[in-house]
Amino acid sequence: MVLAAGAAAGAAALAVNIMERKQESRNPFYRVVELTDETVDPAIWGKNFPLQYDDYKRTVDMTRTKYGGSDGVPRAPTANDPREVTAQSRLEEDPRLKTFWAGYAFAVDFREERGHAYMLDDQTFTERQVVTKQPGTCMHCHASVYVPYKKLGGGDLIKGFEQMNHMPYMEARKLVEHPVACIDCHDPGTMQLRVTRPGFLEGIRALKASQGVQNYDVNTMATRQEMRTYVCGQCHVEYYFKGPDKRLTYPWSKGIKIENILSYYDENPHKDWVHAETGAPVLKAQHPEFEMYNQGIHARSGVSCADCHMPYKREGALKISDHHVRSPLLNVNRACQTCHNWTEEELTQRVNTIQDRTFELRNRALDAVVALIGDMKAARAAGKTDADLKTAMDLQRRAQFMVDFVEAENSMGFHAPEEAARILGIAMDLARQGQLAVRQPDFQPSSFPTPPGVKPTPREVTPPPGSSTGGSGH
């Protein structure tokens, strides 16, 4: 009798629990507050989406992997920099980078990256702000700019973007309050993913045009799975400040392979600075994760950035994306083992092997460029002119950008191992040819400049058939 009653109670409790879970799954969120296209503060969004907001707040975590992230370095706050913690200096870890970037602000302060929570403060208080006058363009990827752009442009996103670009950094800084926030990637009415950054809107349109697709509108023409990469590609890209208006431009109109980008810079002459020791007009690669990812096996397999950096998880009956954006190496179980049926130890070791090999090549390529810089510096001291060193300067510009393309890309080769190795191998060759050009005035470099006709491959930025149907595979 007692057992029967207990069984009945248990069955009733189970039924209630199932009903509650079903009800929970039918109501993915509860509308506590009304969100509009002007709601910037993520804490307000968090009232409707507390699970995602709790994850978002965890981007303050500072846990490093072997080749990325930060342990957090304590510091004494000052009147000009109130931060009590920063990331470790990459310049102290590898002094060759000071020679690499001689004469540029990055030779003064360059640190490991921290989470999204710090993107605005770390940009505001870097010592680079002291040695150079940065433009408001930087806000594009270091702040939540969607609403500030629209307000500045009188409701026009692009006009506001154009106005903020040429503002002094500190003037533009007064117009923004938050680092990247919910409104930058989500429509407040439908919660659909959306691209709000003008740099990407224009860049992807130019890239698609190079592939024969005219007037591409990413927000109406991309698949949901593509959007799970594009919202990240809004900022994790190569870019430059074009012309006196400092218009943020993604150099993609000839494609997104490194040869395409270098070819773009050849046709649209641009230099980020003049190297202090060689006089060469050189380029600083930014953080081309999107470009490198597109050359790798995960992109070809239709895996998005969010699949690995924001993998789905279960919270009760709900399936949500993990908004604690971080390295997959800190979340192997959900980031990797969802697709790869291997132990966590095995998968971690595979990544370590790729990154260790890339790091070795990166070191050899960096040595080659630093050796070229040393030879050019000595040649100038001996009286050689710009005309004498023109070929060497051209080779330095190209080799240095190639090394930086891998150095600045935050995966130490993992996003596209073969492509990273190819780029670093060519960079070493170009740097060594540069040393020959210093010694031999009539030296004719091989494979330089890049042969014309480098075209994007059909699959660039286009997941293979069957993989772009909207994230239903996870």
Side-chain angles (χ1 to χ4, degrees):
M1 186 72 174
V2 173
L3 287 175
L14 178 61
V16 169
N17 183 269
I18 291 172
M19 290 177 61
E20 288 176 344
R21 294 303 184 195
K22 286 184 176 179
Q23 184 63 27
E24 191 176 55
S25 65
R26 281 194 290 268
N27 295 286
F29 73 95
Y30 294 94
R31 190 182 301 275
V32 177
V33 295
E34 191 68 28
L35 300 175
T36 74
D37 209 33
E38 294 187 349
T39 308
V40 182
D41 188 347
I44 298 176
W45 289 64
K47 294 180 185 295
N48 289 353
F49 303 95
L51 298 175
Q52 290 87 343
Y53 181 58
D54 284 347
D55 287 341
Y56 168 86
K57 290 192 293 184
R58 294 187 66 191
T59 60
V60 297
D61 291 352
M62 284 178 276
T63 305
R64 72 163 300 147
T65 61
K66 189 173 183 180
Y67 294 107
S70 174
D71 291 326
V73 177
R75 68 177 300 278
T78 65
N80 293 327
D81 184 352
R83 292 176 299 172
E84 296 181 349
V85 175
T86 57
Q88 56 270 38
S89 170
R90 292 291 314 283
L91 300 177
E92 293 175 6
E93 292 175 345
D94 192 339
R96 291 175 298 179
L97 294 173
K98 293 182 180 178
T99 302
F100 195 66
W101 292 317
Y104 199 47
F106 276 79
V108 176
D109 188 16
F110 176 57
R111 297 175 182 276
E112 290 283 6
E113 65 278 7
R114 298 200 290 173
H116 281 169
Y118 303 102
M119 60 195 294
L120 185 53
D121 280 352
D122 284 351
Q123 170 72 12
T124 301
F125 298 114
T126 173
E127 292 179 52
R128 296 196 294 274
Q129 295 282 8
V130 178
V131 298
T132 189
K133 299 297 182 185
Q134 297 197 348
T137 319
C138 300
M139 292 306 164
H140 185 276
C141 291
H142 285 273
S144 181
V145 286
Y146 175 70
V147 173
Y149 278 165
K150 293 194 75 173
K151 287 183 176 178
L152 198 58
D156 188 315
L157 183 73
I158 301 301
K159 285 184 178 176
F161 161 69
E162 291 169 340
Q163 287 193 43
M164 192 180 291
N165 281 346
H166 54 73
M167 280 184 177
Y169 180 89
M170 290 305 174
E171 185 178 333
R173 177 65 181 82
K174 297 173 185 174
L175 303 178
V176 302
E177 186 176 359
H178 299 281
V180 65
C182 317
I183 197 169
D184 297 301
C185 300
H186 290 281
D187 182 306
T190 65
M191 294 305 126
Q192 291 295 310
L193 290 174
R194 66 176 180 179
V195 171
T196 58
R197 297 294 202 269
F200 190 89
L201 292 168
E202 295 178 355
I204 195 74
R205 189 181 304 132
L207 175 60
K208 290 291 185 179
S210 76
Q211 298 171 329
V213 181
Q214 303 301 320
N215 301 317
Y216 184 76
D217 179 352
V218 63
N219 284 315
T220 59
M221 299 170 75
T223 67
R224 183 175 181 278
Q225 184 68 352
E226 286 174 329
M227 290 297 283
R228 285 166 55 78
T229 288
Y230 291 170
V231 291
C232 305
Q234 294 187 86
C235 294
H236 291 266
V237 294
E238 164 63 11
Y239 60 82
Y240 76 108
F241 302 160
K242 185 176 184 179
D245 288 337
K246 306 295 183 186
R247 188 187 188 91
L248 184 69
T249 303
Y250 297 177
W252 294 349
S253 63
K254 301 174 74 66
I256 56 173
K257 285 184 175 177
I258 193 166
E259 283 87 350
N260 304 132
I261 292 171
L262 277 167
S263 180
Y264 173 93
Y265 284 133
D266 287 343
E267 293 185 9
N268 300 271
H270 170 74
K271 64 176 183 296
D272 283 306
W273 87 104
V274 174
H275 197 278
E277 296 184 3
T278 69
V282 279
L283 300 163
K284 171 74 185 77
Q286 306 306 327
H287 24 78
E289 283 87 52
F290 179 75
E291 293 89 341
M292 287 292 281
Y293 149 85
N294 270 288
Q295 311 309 317
I297 187 63
H298 285 93
R300 281 182 172 268
S301 301
V303 178
S304 73
C305 301
D307 286 325
C308 304
H309 293 276
M310 303 175 66
Y312 287 118
K313 64 178 184 179
R314 286 281 177 189
E315 292 284 355
L318 300 179
K319 176 186 175 185
I320 66 173
S321 291
D322 187 344
H323 282 60
H324 182 195
V325 184
R326 53 182 163 162
S327 166
L329 283 172
L330 301 174
N331 192 17
V332 171
N333 174 248
R334 284 192 278 108
C336 310
Q337 290 180 309
T338 301
C339 298
H340 298 286
N341 187 26
W342 297 93
T343 65
E344 183 167 333
E345 181 182 14
E346 167 64 19
L347 292 169
T348 302
Q349 185 55 49
R350 291 184 185 188
V351 177
N352 288 341
T353 298
I354 289 170
Q355 293 187 323
D356 286 347
R357 290 172 177 173
T358 305
F359 188 64
E360 180 183 358
L361 285 173
R362 171 263 189 195
N363 281 333
R364 291 175 182 273
L366 185 58
D367 279 342
V369 173
V370 169
L372 170 59
I373 291 171
D375 285 3
M376 294 172 69
K377 181 180 179 181
R380 286 207 176 267
K384 289 200 174 183
T385 65
D386 283 354
D388 298 326
L389 295 174
K390 182 180 185 308
T391 300
M393 288 195 292
D394 287 346
L395 287 160
Q396 181 197 343
R397 173 183 165 96
R398 186 165 296 256
Q400 180 156 341
F401 185 71
M402 287 185 148
V403 174
D404 210 4
F405 208 78
V406 177
E407 167 70 17
E409 197 269 333
N410 287 310
S411 80
M412 190 51 71
F414 180 76
H415 286 148
E418 296 90 351
E419 179 69 355
R422 185 185 74 87
I423 290 171
L424 292 171
I426 294 173
M428 276 185 268
D429 177 57
L430 294 177
R432 297 310 184 191
Q433 289 191 58
Q435 290 182 279
L436 292 174
V438 172
R439 292 166 174 75
Q440 304 171 25
D442 59 345
F443 177 76
Q444 294 296 317
S446 62
S447 301
F448 182 81
T450 298
V454 176
K455 300 292 184 184
T457 62
R459 279 188 166 182
E460 279 183 0
V461 201
T462 305
S467 64
S468 58
T469 53
S472 59
H474 294 273

